[in-house]
Amino acid sequence: MIFARFMAIYGHKFKSCFETENELRLAKREWALSLEGYGEAELVAAVNRCKETTAWMPSIAEFIEILRDINGDFGLPGVRDAYSEACLHAEHPTRHQWSHPAVYHAGRETGWFLLRSEEESKALPAFRYHYDVICRRVREGEALDQPVPPALEDKQANTVADFIQRFTAEHALTPEEGATLLYYLTLPRGSRIRKRLQAQSQQKLEQRGLSIKLPDEAS
């Protein structure tokens, strides 16, 4: 719908943005992914605003800014920025001044321990699900304290988070200590930073006089 309107509004200017059919197809896909969660009425209103204010077809970022302006500028950050903020402050979430309450609620629904300890390949999809649900509710004016429908359960038993929890309990560490010491397990295998953080964690244990051998892998 959006691209059909843009073609009618901008004519040859629209066509000049895409040299090949493949470029047009890729652009449509990227726009569709970027605008998930917005309703048809919102999109129509934003296109109408473009027609009145822009001489050329807007970029995705410009179009989203128009959407936010039309909807009262809810101030919702993008999912990647929201995820980074949630991970960065998952250790003490109640002490942080959140950029938007939706980020806090999405982090809480996802699980602060999971955000601290799990690999991004597992944590980000879970966070994205809850954040998308909450963002839709914000745009619709619903309260953030309503329960979020549960995401599909991850049946994989041997996750990094599970291993960190077991290791922490077995060695009588606090959850915060375990998550901090074993954070390196969430980083890519064989990477320099993973090896460096593992060595630093092992050194911390030795300085405390604890004879705990940290694992190379989560198994």
Side-chain angles (χ1 to χ4, degrees):
M1 180 275 293
I2 292 178
F3 273 42
R5 290 287 310 279
F6 281 161
M7 184 178 297
I9 293 168
Y10 298 109
H12 73 278
K13 292 181 179 179
F14 171 83
K15 295 178 181 179
S16 67
C17 294
F18 311 101
E19 295 183 358
T20 65
E21 286 296 322
N22 187 52
E23 286 187 4
L24 179 59
R25 183 169 59 255
L26 291 174
K28 286 182 177 180
R29 180 177 181 275
E30 190 63 32
W31 275 74
L33 291 172
S34 301
L35 299 179
E36 284 182 344
Y38 289 98
E40 182 177 354
E42 296 170 298
L43 297 176
V44 169
V47 171
N48 290 338
R49 175 73 63 82
C50 292
K51 181 173 66 174
E52 298 169 356
T53 61
T54 63
W56 288 83
M57 172 183 166
S59 66
I60 293 175
E62 290 169 340
F63 192 76
I64 289 176
E65 283 300 314
I66 291 173
L67 279 166
R68 289 177 176 172
D69 181 63
I70 289 174
N71 287 280
D73 191 14
F74 292 108
L76 292 164
V79 65
R80 171 62 65 173
D81 290 340
Y83 172 73
S84 298
E85 182 181 5
C87 289
L88 185 62
H89 299 284
E91 190 77 27
H92 302 291
T94 58
R95 300 180 186 177
H96 176 57
Q97 185 68 36
W98 295 92
S99 62
H100 194 285
V103 182
Y104 168 79
H105 285 278
R108 186 181 66 180
E109 294 294 338
T110 304
W112 300 117
F113 181 81
L114 184 148
L115 290 171
R116 290 197 306 267
S117 59
E118 192 58 273
E119 295 182 28
E120 182 178 297
S121 60
K122 292 183 174 62
L124 179 55
F127 179 85
R128 185 190 300 274
Y129 168 80
H130 291 292
Y131 189 61
D132 285 349
V133 170
I134 290 170
C135 284
R136 285 197 296 271
R137 289 181 170 177
V138 170
R139 296 182 187 116
E140 294 169 0
E142 296 185 34
L144 290 177
D145 57 357
Q146 296 184 24
V148 176
L152 294 176
E153 181 181 359
D154 185 357
K155 300 294 184 180
Q156 184 176 354
N158 190 25
T159 65
V160 174
D162 291 334
F163 176 81
I164 291 177
Q165 286 180 315
R166 293 198 307 272
F167 189 93
T168 297
E170 290 170 2
H171 294 85
L173 299 169
T174 67
E176 291 76 13
E177 288 174 328
T180 300
L181 290 170
L182 296 172
Y183 171 73
Y184 66 88
L185 291 174
T186 69
L187 302 175
R189 294 181 178 87
S191 63
R192 292 182 179 179
I193 188 171
R194 175 168 170 150
K195 293 178 180 178
R196 179 166 59 83
L197 291 181
Q198 181 180 1
Q200 290 176 352
S201 293
Q202 190 66 59
Q203 185 179 20
K204 289 179 182 179
L205 289 173
E206 293 171 358
Q207 290 174 346
R208 293 172 55 187
L210 299 176
S211 57
I212 300 174
K213 173 64 176 176
L214 293 178
D216 295 326
E217 303 287 342
S219 60

